[in-house]
Amino acid sequence: MTELLQVTDVVAGYGDGPAILNGASVTVQPGKVHCIIGPNGAGKSTLLKAICGMLRIRQGAVRFKGDSLVGLRPDQVLRRGICFVPQERALFPKMTVRENLRMGGFSLTDTTDLERRIDEIEDRFPILRDRRDQHAGTMSGGQQQTLAMARTMILKPDIVMLDEPSLGLAPKIVQEVFGIMQVMAEAGITILIVEQNALMGLKHADWGVVLDLGRTLFEGPAAEVLADPRIQELYLGGKKVA
Ligand SMILES: Nc1ncnc2c1ncn2[C@@H]1O[C@H](COP(=O)(O)OP(=O)(O)OP(=O)(O)O)[C@@H](O)[C@H]1O
Ligand SMILES: [Mg+2]
């Protein structure tokens, strides 16, 4: 098994505060969808932030394509090929959809190439072409999430990390968000998603990771996580999975 990203026993916290992550590990395989589940406050968002360089890693290892990411800044991690969509989506609400897509490619100096990449994204997600002149902040939550996810594809990243992309969206729109994730995966992007709706997240994933109290309790094929009676009891609301 060749891992694209290997997070091993990471210890990290905010500033000089207590360690929030205390032995967090994730194995990320190329081209697969990985879903991190765990209760509120488990450290799921903190783990994504630690991977992308927003938090200092105190102990443990983060290796991507064989190189350590420890000590890199977020922009350096992004340049290596790991893109993070935070829970609050980080769009520019007063800019148009098209301008938001351009911002996603801020580091590209070849503007012809940038416009071509935006065209490709609009081909994949026609709603973004239809809405290209609309201010991002005036779109629905689902459309904004589509934009935030699609925008990551401009830089052709290896990995996209999504923090609770379905939060606050109506069930039908949640399905659409998972559909977008599937399109990204089919385009060859490796996905690392944190999902509050653990059942739904795991059903759309190849690999599951259970995080609690900042530690990885289990990781393995998503089907195994779903079928584990103890994980069902503790983290999946005791629901039996058909
Ligand atoms: N900016 C911050 N500064 C200090 N502590 C923080 C900060 N953000 C989160 N924490 C703390 O880190 C712990 C883990 O939070 P985190 O947001 O990573 O959990 P989570 O698993 O993503 O939870 P949720 O399901 O609620 O999103 C919590 O105790 C939280 O209070
Ligand atoms: Mg969170």
Side-chain angles (χ1 to χ4, degrees), residues 43-60:
K44 304 180 298 294
S45 300
T46 304
L47 177 55
L48 297 190
K49 290 181 203 165
I51 293 170
C52 78
M54 291 164 74
L55 290 183
R56 194 175 62 80
I57 289 167
R58 298 175 189 172
Q59 276 178 53

Side-chain angles (χ1 to χ4, degrees), residues 13-15 17-21 36-49 55 87 163-164 167 194-196 211 214:
Y14 294 87
I20 302 291
L21 300 177
I36 303 173
I37 66 163
N40 290 337
K44 304 180 298 294
S45 300
T46 304
L47 177 55
L48 297 190
K49 290 181 203 165
L55 290 183
Q87 203 172 303
D163 194 356
E164 312 250 16
L167 198 72
V194 167
E195 184 49 57
Q196 189 80 236
L211 192 76

Side-chain angles (χ1 to χ4, degrees), residues 33-37 174-175 178-179 181-182 193 195-209 220-227 232 236 239-242:
V33 176
H34 309 72
C35 180
I36 303 173
I37 66 163
V174 170
Q175 286 295 345
F178 278 98
M181 188 181 83
Q182 230 77 56
I193 179 178
E195 184 49 57
Q196 189 80 236
N197 185 338
L199 268 179
M200 178 118 177
L202 288 170
K203 281 181 183 167
H204 286 85
D206 303 294
W207 193 257
V209 181
E224 271 181 34
V225 178
L226 281 166
Q232 282 177 8
L236 301 173
K239 291 192 189 88
K240 282 256 177 295
V241 180

Side-chain angles (χ1 to χ4, degrees), residues 8 16-18 37 42 54 80 92 103 108 118 129 133 138 144 147 166 180 184 194 200-201 209 215 219 225 237:
T8 314
D16 298 326
I37 66 163
M54 291 164 74
R80 298 272 179 112
F92 300 95
M103 291 304 281
L108 300 173
I118 292 176
R129 180 168 284 139
D133 297 321
T138 65
Q144 291 192 33
L147 175 58
S166 74
I180 294 162
M184 295 170 75
V194 167
M200 178 118 177
V209 181
R215 280 190 313 125
E219 66 171 326
V225 178

Side-chain angles (χ1 to χ4, degrees), residues 83-86 89-91 101 121 124-125 128 141-155 157 160-166 169 173-185 189 191-193 195:
C83 194
F84 175 45
V85 182
R89 299 188 190 120
L91 293 173
L101 289 173
I121 286 171
R124 273 190 216 276
F125 306 103
L128 300 180
Q143 289 163 350
Q144 291 192 33
Q145 188 61 45
T146 304
L147 175 58
M149 289 167 74
R151 185 176 63 173
T152 65
M153 294 176 80
I154 298 265
L155 293 178
V160 170
M161 302 195 296
L162 304 167
D163 194 356
E164 312 250 16
S166 74
L169 301 178
I173 310 300
V174 170
Q175 286 295 345
E176 282 179 30
V177 165
F178 278 98
I180 294 162
M181 188 181 83
Q182 230 77 56
V183 170
M184 295 170 75
I189 297 175
I191 307 276
L192 186 54
I193 179 178
E195 184 49 57

